[in-house]
Amino acid sequence: MRKFVFSEDRVNREVIATLTTLSNGFVSIRGDPEFAESRHGTFVSGVYSFTPVFYREIANLPRAHALYLELDGIPLAPESVKYSLDTKGGFLETDSVLASPSGRVSYRSQRFVHKVLKGLVGLKAQIRSLDASGRLCIKAPIELDTVNPSVPPEISVKLYRVLSAERGDFPTVDVETADGRYRLRVVSIVRLRGGCGAGFYATGRHIGQAACLDIHPGDSISLERFAVFGLKPEDVARQASETARGFESLFEEHRACWEREWEEIDLRVEGDEEFAAALAFNTFHLLQLYNDEGKVFMLPARGLHGHGYRGHVFWDADIYALPFYLFFKPEAARKMLEYRCRTLSAAVENARRSGYEGAQYPWESADDGFEATPREVPLDLAGEKRVRIRTGELEHHITADVAYAVDLYYRFTKDEEFLERCGLKILVLTARFWASRARWDPARARFVIRNVIGPDEYHVGVDNNFYTNVMAKHNLELAVHYSAKAYSDPKLRERLSELRVTQEEISRWAEISSKLEIPCRDDGLCEQFEGYFELKDFRIEPGVVGEENLPREVISSVHRYQVIKQADVVAALFLLRDKFPAEILEKNYEYYLQRTTHASSLSLPMYAALALYLGRTEEGYSMLKKAALADLVDVYGNTREGFHVGSAGGVWMAILFGLLKIQAGKSLYYERGASLGRVTISFNIRYRGAKVRVEVQGLPHA
Amino acid sequence: MRKFVFSEDRVNREVIATLTTLSNGFVSIRGDPEFAESRHGTFVSGVYSFTPVFYREIANLPRAHALYLELDGIPLAPESVKYSLDTKGGFLETDSVLASPSGRVSYRSQRFVHKVLKGLVGLKAQIRSLDASGRLCIKAPIELDTVNPSVPPEISVKLYRVLSAERGDFPTVDVETADGRYRLRVVSIVRLRGGCGAGFYATGRHIGQAACLDIHPGDSISLERFAVFGLKPEDVARQASETARGFESLFEEHRACWEREWEEIDLRVEGDEEFAAALAFNTFHLLQLYNDEGKVFMLPARGLHGHGYRGHVFWDADIYALPFYLFFKPEAARKMLEYRCRTLSAAVENARRSGYEGAQYPWESADDGFEATPREVPLDLAGEKRVRIRTGELEHHITADVAYAVDLYYRFTKDEEFLERCGLKILVLTARFWASRARWDPARARFVIRNVIGPDEYHVGVDNNFYTNVMAKHNLELAVHYSAKAYSDPKLRERLSELRVTQEEISRWAEISSKLEIPCRDDGLCEQFEGYFELKDFRIEPGVVGEENLPREVISSVHRYQVIKQADVVAALFLLRDKFPAEILEKNYEYYLQRTTHASSLSLPMYAALALYLGRTEEGYSMLKKAALADLVDVYGNTREGFHVGSAGGVWMAILFGLLKIQAGKSLYYERGASLGRVTISFNIRYRGAKVRVEVQGLPHA
């Protein structure tokens, strides 16, 4: 369907490498070319280890897809590299000219990370001599020296150790994460088409195969390389044996699976080619992050696309990305929540450590669910400059966000099994957290939540943050609601009694939620937190994204201003849009939009969602499109560190809930008159086992 | 004179690499073979940068001496490696067989770090095909990916950044330390004998030259590789141009310089071949650590031989190594003290930070003289296990050790210029430190020094440590003595007045020194610190070195025992042997020897010194020999981390001051009847411009 072509002439290789990352939700490799050295090895979903500063992070595992070319002993260097990501077939093609003093070769490759054989990376290279003559040697190593970059950037950490590196039938390496929690096997297989065999070699850092042959102008060589990764040796052996089928057979199977996936969704966008491309691009990356064989779906904020945020999971998953999966891959949505189930006991421990009750989900979550937010980030090697980070300590709304996601999932799926096994427990334990977190303020006769960070992280340690309080209230209400429901269901009632939920506790939740401070003025304007309206005012030009254009005095003491980083009041209002009258949504949208820098990629999708919900089509679409292009045009300047899952997912959230106003019912309800101006969108979604075609009809062209 | 042959069959490569390190005191490279990957690049004396945990450390700079060989694209791997360190000529030879599926080659090389051209490393390789046929490619890169290992060992730090890597006439790289304080240029030059030229290549990590040629059984190839390092481009250019002379000419010049050096010293040892070898080996390494072109001589505890103690300077330099240089290279001894001069203002700042006056030398000193001892060393990546290190805070005797060295140097050299320019200032400022450090204890009417660590680091935070107090008293006495002397010399008097030294202050020093607590009992036994004699007693078998054989309950709570790690009372008694009657020396030597584990390499040389001084020839020689073999037989199990400068120097200290009882006078006095049993030693030393032949006549064989 769509090819995305990138060239190093215009875009930095590290940015392209994120954009052209291939993954099947288990194994992930960035798109940097196999013929060049790279710091980036392989990510395997869920394989984390302890690390300085960031608690635990996803390990940069051995790189097993390189193909190093040398002509007469001189490494060939690229003169030009063109990348073409085929999202329809889920593969990456490169087309390059490589040069050395003995001449130039053209180098073309195709690469996939197999959609079904989850451990398998396949690569086929076609090398043709343009004017090169000489001895061409090709090396295909498993590189055992990949490390995780740390902070400051001079520091790196090796998160695995090599247990064995052996010849076997093919070079085979067993590694173990530095903490000993995970073991991984890597096998590398090279097949030269109709040529001589490849020889085995090993140095301290590399183990692999190499082959040489003489080339002359016009000669062509074709080469297949496979790498198989797996946590279980038997999985690796099985998939390695599949490679005997050869690249073409595996590649065709892989592409066919992708094509089926796309047919299933049948996404069509017309009227704005750029937006259509961006939406397809984001959809491709969201789809490839899901491993349907996994028991849980752990979705890092930057995907499996880079070291940004260290593979940690944020509310980006539960709030921004979940709607996409809920409608396109309901199983994936369930497995996202299974991840929160699996880490529920860690959340209980997090609450205990903070001095609260119930379950407190960590602001940043790694594989084990303990708080993984860095508390302090060193900025220099001298140990003099450090940034203190307080989100792990204070950004508590994540706990309500998880509860929100549980309810959303249940309402649309009616997945009773999940509710009974885990969902109810999450709702009860998170409500308990808020019940212990909120404090009674006798002076105003309200419950208050003091000292938090809301979604807008410019203002730290504030009291009664609107988003936090509204979501906490909702969390308590959900616990009340589902507990009531549980009383009429024998199995759920059993769960309640296991959790020792009493009528008194339920009443307490109801009381706290009804008396929790929600600071809105009589005119309908809600205050982001206590004292916000007393801060200095500053308006931001419409359409400006990021902090670059702010006056220095504003950005250097931004906490003294009403300037905010991202949707906060607006986020709560959108998420709980049924609970507020339209005038309040309108009023706050207008007020806060003018004061938001959108310096977080989570901002535009939320504003777009509310704008579309309010029928502000033009500005909503403008923000939606900008959000959809976040990575393709590197809006936030950090695409090199990974894909923006929250932004990509948030665009779909805005379409599904903002524009289409999808609601659960016996069958799916959505607003048929929704408009995106001239843009037409249609796609299939899944709703309780059925396929539903959803359409937004574009206006006719003028 | 002597060749030291090592084989990987018997000794670990990392240990051999320390033992075969080549240095000229400016550039240093470890002995690991050039045909294998290595973590070790190049040390350049004085080039340090900020680093986590260790404050500043010597940078592991680019490796520019590798020669990677590939046959038909397969890296050749060693089947056997033999190393031969020629200490007479100051070079390293290797003799190896390298193998690949296409056959085996013999590989022989010679390597030097030029004794005169301080930036120049030279290497000649001779490769002969045994039964190999195929295309042999040779790569000679400058490797730009060397990093410093940190703690825990999974962490590494890149202490330099590449400013430029260019082709030029030869591959040329400019790097800068991460802190921006030092810039270094590296040039790499390859010359193939009578063969085709080498081509230039660059990858992200390597820049260098490569060449290929066909080989058949019996064919030989000879290759020369040079690397030039320098802080100034003009020095690099000059030395690079010298390489046009070719390897043989430079190599001959280098060897001739070393031969002259050895002729000058003319060290002869007979009667014990093993001891003779060890003494020559240590002498070679001590000699090659001195750069006669340097303005200061900064001598790290582990030489320029490894990352042990991170290139930090300890009292090992001032107390243990200085005597060797004082008599063999008086200029080197002066430059060691110049290092303490250059860092005197940092020592003043160290004192201020600790709340004291005057100058406090740091326990561990890097290039800038600030306290560089780690306070806490992380043991795991999870940040859970840490070791607290208190020596930087409490091991204060280093300040008196520096003062002791200044006096020793002056007494033997009468270097008035040094005394006036710097020596007097060190003596005054260090005395001021002790005057502020000692406290009046009215109960016993003595000055006391509380809360220190003495040389024996098993006992932490003790009061009135014998070594510390005796050396502090000496330091104060030296200040009194030299101040008195200064009054009769116009120039020195001017220094005194610049330092605002008054008669009152001098009287104060005299008073403190005369009333400083020196805890010796009436029977002549001195207590290592207050309360030491009340600790549990435990005797160690004679001759046992290290902690391995101690009962677990002793080593796990060693601070509760009289067991000590190294000479402490005995060190003070030996250093100030003229101030104590022989009976006290005897009594304390016997008492403490039985309680010492010698787990520090500084212990045996000091006990040997006092034993020999006391005429206990047999046991003294036994300890002397063991100390001399410290690295050659890896007594302390950490030779891989570097050469033990203190041990190697300490053996000479024991010979010069313990055995020979050298004393300064109009001409040099030494005890002619000194005996080492059957061992005969003779050598030339320098004394006030004259060459003096010193002899220890061995007993005739039975």
Side-chain angles (χ1 to χ4, degrees), chain A residues 37-38 50-52 70 72-75 137 139 154-158 201 203-205 210 212 381-382, chain B residues 37-38 50-52 70 72-75 137 139 154-158 201 203-205 210 212 381-382:
Chain A
E37 293 163 348
S38 173
F50 288 112
T51 197
E70 294 180 4
D72 292 333
I74 305 277
C137 290
K139 285 207 193 73
E154 292 87 355
I155 295 185
S156 45
V157 195
K158 181 145 188 184
Y201 76 97
T203 68
R205 293 171 191 165
C212 298
L381 287 171
Chain B
E37 293 163 350
S38 172
F50 287 111
T51 198
E70 293 180 3
D72 292 333
I74 306 275
C137 290
K139 285 206 193 72
E154 291 88 354
I155 295 184
S156 46
V157 195
K158 182 144 191 186
Y201 77 97
T203 68
R205 293 170 191 166
C212 299
L381 286 172

Short mmCIF file of all heavy atoms in Angstrom, two decimals, chain A residues 37-38 50-52 70 72-75 137 139 154-158 201 203-205 210 212 381-382, chain B residues 37-38 50-52 70 72-75 137 139 154-158 201 203-205 210 212 381-382:
data_model
loop_
_atom_site.label_atom_id
_atom_site.label_comp_id
_atom_site.label_asym_id
_atom_site.label_seq_id
_atom_site.Cartn_x
_atom_site.Cartn_y
_atom_site.Cartn_z
N GLU A 37 28.68 -0.04 10.78
CA GLU A 37 28.70 -0.25 12.22
C GLU A 37 27.54 0.51 12.85
O GLU A 37 27.13 1.55 12.36
CB GLU A 37 30.00 0.29 12.82
CG GLU A 37 31.23 -0.47 12.38
CD GLU A 37 32.50 0.32 12.65
OE1 GLU A 37 32.41 1.53 12.95
OE2 GLU A 37 33.58 -0.28 12.53
N SER A 38 27.04 -0.01 13.93
CA SER A 38 25.94 0.66 14.61
C SER A 38 26.02 0.36 16.10
O SER A 38 26.45 -0.71 16.51
CB SER A 38 24.60 0.18 14.06
OG SER A 38 23.54 0.72 14.83
N PHE A 50 18.84 -4.45 35.36
CA PHE A 50 19.14 -3.29 36.21
C PHE A 50 20.16 -2.39 35.53
O PHE A 50 21.06 -2.87 34.83
CB PHE A 50 19.70 -3.73 37.57
CG PHE A 50 18.66 -4.32 38.45
CD1 PHE A 50 18.69 -5.67 38.79
CD2 PHE A 50 17.63 -3.54 38.95
CE1 PHE A 50 17.72 -6.22 39.61
CE2 PHE A 50 16.65 -4.07 39.78
CZ PHE A 50 16.70 -5.43 40.11
N THR A 51 20.03 -1.11 35.76
CA THR A 51 20.88 -0.14 35.09
C THR A 51 21.03 1.08 36.00
O THR A 51 20.13 1.35 36.80
CB THR A 51 20.23 0.24 33.74
OG1 THR A 51 21.20 0.85 32.91
CG2 THR A 51 19.04 1.17 33.93
N PRO A 52 22.15 1.78 35.92
CA PRO A 52 22.25 2.99 36.74
C PRO A 52 21.21 4.04 36.31
O PRO A 52 20.81 4.06 35.15
CB PRO A 52 23.66 3.51 36.44
CG PRO A 52 24.40 2.34 35.89
CD PRO A 52 23.37 1.51 35.17
N GLU A 70 34.07 -5.82 2.38
CA GLU A 70 35.40 -5.25 2.16
C GLU A 70 35.88 -5.64 0.77
O GLU A 70 35.71 -6.77 0.35
CB GLU A 70 36.39 -5.81 3.19
CG GLU A 70 36.05 -5.34 4.59
CD GLU A 70 37.02 -5.88 5.63
OE1 GLU A 70 37.99 -6.55 5.26
OE2 GLU A 70 36.77 -5.60 6.81
N ASP A 72 39.28 -5.82 -1.35
CA ASP A 72 40.73 -5.80 -1.19
C ASP A 72 41.13 -5.29 0.20
O ASP A 72 42.06 -4.49 0.35
CB ASP A 72 41.40 -4.97 -2.29
CG ASP A 72 41.25 -5.65 -3.65
OD1 ASP A 72 41.12 -6.89 -3.68
OD2 ASP A 72 41.24 -4.94 -4.66
N GLY A 73 40.41 -5.76 1.20
CA GLY A 73 40.78 -5.44 2.57
C GLY A 73 40.28 -4.10 3.08
O GLY A 73 40.45 -3.78 4.25
N ILE A 74 39.68 -3.31 2.19
CA ILE A 74 39.22 -1.97 2.58
C ILE A 74 37.70 -2.02 2.77
O ILE A 74 36.98 -2.35 1.83
CB ILE A 74 39.54 -0.93 1.49
CG1 ILE A 74 41.02 -0.94 1.15
CG2 ILE A 74 39.05 0.45 1.91
CD1 ILE A 74 41.89 -0.15 2.05
N PRO A 75 37.22 -1.68 3.98
CA PRO A 75 35.77 -1.65 4.19
C PRO A 75 35.11 -0.71 3.18
O PRO A 75 35.58 0.41 2.96
CB PRO A 75 35.62 -1.11 5.62
CG PRO A 75 36.92 -1.45 6.28
CD PRO A 75 37.96 -1.36 5.21
N CYS A 137 35.12 -9.46 0.28
CA CYS A 137 34.87 -10.32 1.44
C CYS A 137 33.65 -9.78 2.19
O CYS A 137 33.47 -8.57 2.31
CB CYS A 137 36.06 -10.35 2.38
SG CYS A 137 37.46 -11.25 1.69
N LYS A 139 31.40 -10.23 5.73
CA LYS A 139 31.37 -10.79 7.08
C LYS A 139 29.97 -10.63 7.66
O LYS A 139 29.37 -9.56 7.55
CB LYS A 139 32.34 -10.04 7.99
CG LYS A 139 33.78 -10.36 7.78
CD LYS A 139 34.55 -10.12 9.08
CE LYS A 139 36.03 -10.13 8.82
NZ LYS A 139 36.47 -8.92 8.11
N GLU A 154 28.77 9.85 27.73
CA GLU A 154 30.05 9.14 27.69
C GLU A 154 29.96 7.76 28.35
O GLU A 154 30.84 6.92 28.17
CB GLU A 154 31.14 9.95 28.43
CG GLU A 154 31.55 11.25 27.75
CD GLU A 154 30.67 12.43 28.14
OE1 GLU A 154 29.66 12.23 28.87
OE2 GLU A 154 30.97 13.54 27.70
N ILE A 155 28.90 7.56 29.14
CA ILE A 155 28.79 6.31 29.89
C ILE A 155 27.95 5.30 29.13
O ILE A 155 26.94 5.64 28.55
CB ILE A 155 28.16 6.59 31.27
CG1 ILE A 155 29.13 7.47 32.07
CG2 ILE A 155 27.87 5.29 32.02
CD1 ILE A 155 28.70 7.73 33.47
N SER A 156 28.41 4.07 29.15
CA SER A 156 27.58 3.01 28.60
C SER A 156 27.60 1.81 29.55
O SER A 156 28.50 1.68 30.38
CB SER A 156 28.02 2.62 27.20
OG SER A 156 29.40 2.50 27.13
N VAL A 157 26.60 0.98 29.39
CA VAL A 157 26.43 -0.16 30.29
C VAL A 157 26.17 -1.39 29.46
O VAL A 157 25.30 -1.39 28.59
CB VAL A 157 25.20 0.02 31.21
CG1 VAL A 157 25.25 -0.96 32.37
CG2 VAL A 157 25.09 1.44 31.69
N LYS A 158 26.90 -2.43 29.74
CA LYS A 158 26.65 -3.68 29.04
C LYS A 158 25.65 -4.47 29.86
O LYS A 158 25.94 -4.86 30.99
CB LYS A 158 27.94 -4.45 28.86
CG LYS A 158 27.70 -5.72 28.10
CD LYS A 158 28.84 -6.08 27.19
CE LYS A 158 28.44 -7.25 26.35
NZ LYS A 158 29.52 -7.73 25.50
N TYR A 201 34.17 -17.79 11.84
CA TYR A 201 35.27 -17.09 12.51
C TYR A 201 34.80 -16.55 13.86
O TYR A 201 33.61 -16.41 14.11
CB TYR A 201 35.82 -15.94 11.65
CG TYR A 201 34.96 -14.70 11.62
CD1 TYR A 201 35.23 -13.62 12.45
CD2 TYR A 201 33.87 -14.60 10.76
CE1 TYR A 201 34.44 -12.48 12.44
CE2 TYR A 201 33.08 -13.48 10.74
CZ TYR A 201 33.36 -12.42 11.58
OH TYR A 201 32.58 -11.31 11.56
N THR A 203 36.26 -13.60 16.92
CA THR A 203 37.24 -12.76 17.61
C THR A 203 36.64 -12.56 18.98
O THR A 203 35.62 -13.16 19.32
CB THR A 203 37.41 -11.41 16.89
OG1 THR A 203 36.20 -10.67 17.03
CG2 THR A 203 37.71 -11.60 15.41
N GLY A 204 37.25 -11.73 19.79
CA GLY A 204 36.67 -11.53 21.12
C GLY A 204 35.28 -10.92 21.06
O GLY A 204 34.41 -11.22 21.85
N ARG A 205 35.06 -10.06 20.08
CA ARG A 205 33.82 -9.29 20.04
C ARG A 205 32.79 -9.85 19.08
O ARG A 205 31.60 -9.57 19.22
CB ARG A 205 34.12 -7.85 19.64
CG ARG A 205 34.92 -7.13 20.70
CD ARG A 205 35.42 -5.78 20.20
NE ARG A 205 36.40 -5.25 21.15
CZ ARG A 205 37.22 -4.25 20.90
NH1 ARG A 205 37.18 -3.65 19.74
NH2 ARG A 205 38.08 -3.84 21.82
N ALA A 210 32.09 -15.72 7.31
CA ALA A 210 32.67 -14.82 6.32
C ALA A 210 32.90 -15.59 5.04
O ALA A 210 33.09 -16.81 5.06
CB ALA A 210 33.99 -14.24 6.83
N CYS A 212 34.57 -14.90 0.82
CA CYS A 212 35.21 -13.99 -0.13
C CYS A 212 35.04 -14.53 -1.54
O CYS A 212 34.98 -15.74 -1.74
CB CYS A 212 36.72 -13.89 0.13
SG CYS A 212 37.13 -13.25 1.75
N LEU A 381 30.27 14.29 33.76
CA LEU A 381 31.09 13.24 34.37
C LEU A 381 31.70 13.68 35.69
O LEU A 381 32.12 12.85 36.49
CB LEU A 381 32.21 12.82 33.41
CG LEU A 381 31.76 11.99 32.21
CD1 LEU A 381 32.91 11.82 31.22
CD2 LEU A 381 31.27 10.62 32.67
N ALA A 382 31.75 14.97 35.91
CA ALA A 382 32.36 15.46 37.14
C ALA A 382 31.40 15.31 38.32
O ALA A 382 31.78 15.50 39.47
CB ALA A 382 32.76 16.93 36.98
N GLU B 37 41.99 -8.14 19.26
CA GLU B 37 41.24 -7.03 19.83
C GLU B 37 41.63 -6.85 21.29
O GLU B 37 41.98 -7.82 21.97
CB GLU B 37 39.74 -7.34 19.77
CG GLU B 37 39.18 -7.38 18.35
CD GLU B 37 37.83 -8.08 18.31
OE1 GLU B 37 37.43 -8.69 19.32
OE2 GLU B 37 37.18 -8.02 17.26
N SER B 38 41.56 -5.64 21.75
CA SER B 38 41.91 -5.38 23.15
C SER B 38 41.11 -4.20 23.65
O SER B 38 40.80 -3.29 22.89
CB SER B 38 43.40 -5.09 23.29
OG SER B 38 43.69 -4.67 24.60
N PHE B 50 37.47 13.83 34.02
CA PHE B 50 36.48 13.51 35.06
C PHE B 50 35.82 12.17 34.77
O PHE B 50 35.60 11.82 33.61
CB PHE B 50 35.40 14.59 35.15
CG PHE B 50 35.89 15.86 35.77
CD1 PHE B 50 36.02 17.01 35.00
CD2 PHE B 50 36.24 15.90 37.11
CE1 PHE B 50 36.48 18.19 35.57
CE2 PHE B 50 36.70 17.08 37.69
CZ PHE B 50 36.82 18.23 36.92
N THR B 51 35.49 11.46 35.82
CA THR B 51 34.94 10.12 35.67
C THR B 51 34.03 9.84 36.87
O THR B 51 34.25 10.41 37.94
CB THR B 51 36.11 9.12 35.59
OG1 THR B 51 35.65 7.90 35.04
CG2 THR B 51 36.73 8.87 36.95
N PRO B 52 33.01 9.01 36.68
CA PRO B 52 32.18 8.69 37.84
C PRO B 52 33.00 7.94 38.91
O PRO B 52 33.95 7.24 38.57
CB PRO B 52 31.10 7.77 37.26
CG PRO B 52 31.11 8.03 35.79
CD PRO B 52 32.52 8.39 35.45
N GLU B 70 43.67 -11.02 8.21
CA GLU B 70 42.58 -11.89 7.75
C GLU B 70 43.04 -12.67 6.54
O GLU B 70 43.70 -12.12 5.65
CB GLU B 70 41.36 -11.04 7.36
CG GLU B 70 40.75 -10.36 8.55
CD GLU B 70 39.54 -9.53 8.19
OE1 GLU B 70 39.13 -9.54 7.02
OE2 GLU B 70 39.02 -8.88 9.11
N ASP B 72 41.52 -14.79 3.49
CA ASP B 72 40.26 -15.05 2.79
C ASP B 72 39.06 -14.58 3.60
O ASP B 72 38.05 -15.29 3.71
CB ASP B 72 40.14 -16.54 2.43
CG ASP B 72 41.17 -16.94 1.38
OD1 ASP B 72 41.58 -16.06 0.59
OD2 ASP B 72 41.57 -18.11 1.37
N GLY B 73 39.22 -13.41 4.18
CA GLY B 73 38.10 -12.79 4.89
C GLY B 73 37.90 -13.28 6.31
O GLY B 73 37.06 -12.75 7.03
N ILE B 74 38.66 -14.28 6.73
CA ILE B 74 38.49 -14.83 8.08
C ILE B 74 39.61 -14.30 8.98
O ILE B 74 40.79 -14.50 8.67
CB ILE B 74 38.58 -16.37 8.05
CG1 ILE B 74 37.60 -16.96 7.06
CG2 ILE B 74 38.41 -16.95 9.46
CD1 ILE B 74 36.21 -17.16 7.55
N PRO B 75 39.25 -13.62 10.08
CA PRO B 75 40.30 -13.15 10.99
C PRO B 75 41.16 -14.31 11.48
O PRO B 75 40.64 -15.36 11.86
CB PRO B 75 39.49 -12.53 12.14
CG PRO B 75 38.18 -12.15 11.53
CD PRO B 75 37.92 -13.19 10.48
N CYS B 137 44.85 -10.12 4.15
CA CYS B 137 44.63 -8.69 4.30
C CYS B 137 45.06 -8.26 5.70
O CYS B 137 44.85 -8.99 6.67
CB CYS B 137 43.16 -8.33 4.09
SG CYS B 137 42.64 -8.52 2.38
N LYS B 139 45.04 -5.02 8.40
CA LYS B 139 44.46 -3.72 8.73
C LYS B 139 45.21 -3.10 9.89
O LYS B 139 45.49 -3.77 10.88
CB LYS B 139 43.00 -3.88 9.15
CG LYS B 139 42.04 -4.16 8.04
CD LYS B 139 40.63 -3.65 8.44
CE LYS B 139 39.60 -4.18 7.49
NZ LYS B 139 39.37 -5.62 7.69
N GLU B 154 30.24 -3.76 34.32
CA GLU B 154 29.40 -3.60 33.12
C GLU B 154 29.44 -2.17 32.59
O GLU B 154 29.05 -1.91 31.45
CB GLU B 154 27.93 -3.94 33.44
CG GLU B 154 27.67 -5.41 33.73
CD GLU B 154 27.86 -5.77 35.19
OE1 GLU B 154 28.31 -4.89 35.97
OE2 GLU B 154 27.57 -6.91 35.56
N ILE B 155 29.91 -1.25 33.43
CA ILE B 155 29.88 0.17 33.03
C ILE B 155 31.21 0.58 32.43
O ILE B 155 32.27 0.20 32.92
CB ILE B 155 29.55 1.05 34.24
CG1 ILE B 155 28.13 0.72 34.72
CG2 ILE B 155 29.68 2.53 33.92
CD1 ILE B 155 27.66 1.59 35.84
N SER B 156 31.14 1.33 31.36
CA SER B 156 32.36 1.93 30.84
C SER B 156 32.11 3.38 30.48
O SER B 156 30.97 3.80 30.32
CB SER B 156 32.88 1.14 29.64
OG SER B 156 31.85 0.84 28.77
N VAL B 157 33.21 4.12 30.41
CA VAL B 157 33.13 5.56 30.20
C VAL B 157 34.09 5.93 29.09
O VAL B 157 35.26 5.55 29.13
CB VAL B 157 33.57 6.34 31.45
CG1 VAL B 157 33.14 7.79 31.34
CG2 VAL B 157 33.07 5.70 32.71
N LYS B 158 33.61 6.66 28.15
CA LYS B 158 34.49 7.14 27.09
C LYS B 158 35.03 8.49 27.53
O LYS B 158 34.28 9.45 27.66
CB LYS B 158 33.75 7.25 25.78
CG LYS B 158 34.66 7.70 24.67
CD LYS B 158 34.33 7.05 23.36
CE LYS B 158 35.44 7.35 22.37
NZ LYS B 158 35.11 6.87 21.05
N TYR B 201 41.30 3.69 4.89
CA TYR B 201 39.89 3.37 5.09
C TYR B 201 39.38 4.01 6.37
O TYR B 201 40.17 4.38 7.25
CB TYR B 201 39.66 1.86 5.12
CG TYR B 201 40.06 1.19 6.41
CD1 TYR B 201 39.11 0.92 7.40
CD2 TYR B 201 41.37 0.81 6.63
CE1 TYR B 201 39.47 0.30 8.59
CE2 TYR B 201 41.75 0.19 7.82
CZ TYR B 201 40.80 -0.06 8.79
OH TYR B 201 41.16 -0.66 9.97
N THR B 203 35.85 3.64 9.09
CA THR B 203 34.50 3.26 9.47
C THR B 203 34.16 4.19 10.63
O THR B 203 34.94 5.08 10.96
CB THR B 203 34.43 1.79 9.92
OG1 THR B 203 35.13 1.66 11.16
CG2 THR B 203 35.04 0.86 8.88
N GLY B 204 33.03 3.99 11.26
CA GLY B 204 32.72 4.88 12.38
C GLY B 204 33.73 4.75 13.51
O GLY B 204 34.05 5.72 14.18
N ARG B 205 34.21 3.54 13.73
CA ARG B 205 35.04 3.30 14.90
C ARG B 205 36.52 3.30 14.60
O ARG B 205 37.33 3.48 15.51
CB ARG B 205 34.66 1.94 15.51
CG ARG B 205 33.26 1.95 16.08
CD ARG B 205 32.81 0.56 16.45
NE ARG B 205 31.39 0.58 16.75
CZ ARG B 205 30.63 -0.50 16.85
NH1 ARG B 205 31.16 -1.70 16.67
NH2 ARG B 205 29.35 -0.40 17.11
N ALA B 210 44.94 -0.30 5.13
CA ALA B 210 44.80 -1.73 4.93
C ALA B 210 45.50 -2.11 3.64
O ALA B 210 45.66 -1.29 2.73
CB ALA B 210 43.32 -2.12 4.86
N CYS B 212 46.31 -5.85 1.08
CA CYS B 212 46.10 -7.28 0.86
C CYS B 212 47.14 -7.81 -0.11
O CYS B 212 47.62 -7.07 -0.99
CB CYS B 212 44.73 -7.54 0.24
SG CYS B 212 43.36 -7.00 1.26
N LEU B 381 24.64 -3.18 39.50
CA LEU B 381 23.91 -2.25 38.64
C LEU B 381 22.59 -1.81 39.26
O LEU B 381 22.03 -0.80 38.86
CB LEU B 381 23.65 -2.89 37.28
CG LEU B 381 24.86 -2.99 36.37
CD1 LEU B 381 24.53 -3.82 35.14
CD2 LEU B 381 25.32 -1.60 35.94
N ALA B 382 22.11 -2.59 40.22
CA ALA B 382 20.83 -2.24 40.84
C ALA B 382 21.00 -1.11 41.84
O ALA B 382 20.02 -0.56 42.33
CB ALA B 382 20.24 -3.46 41.53
#
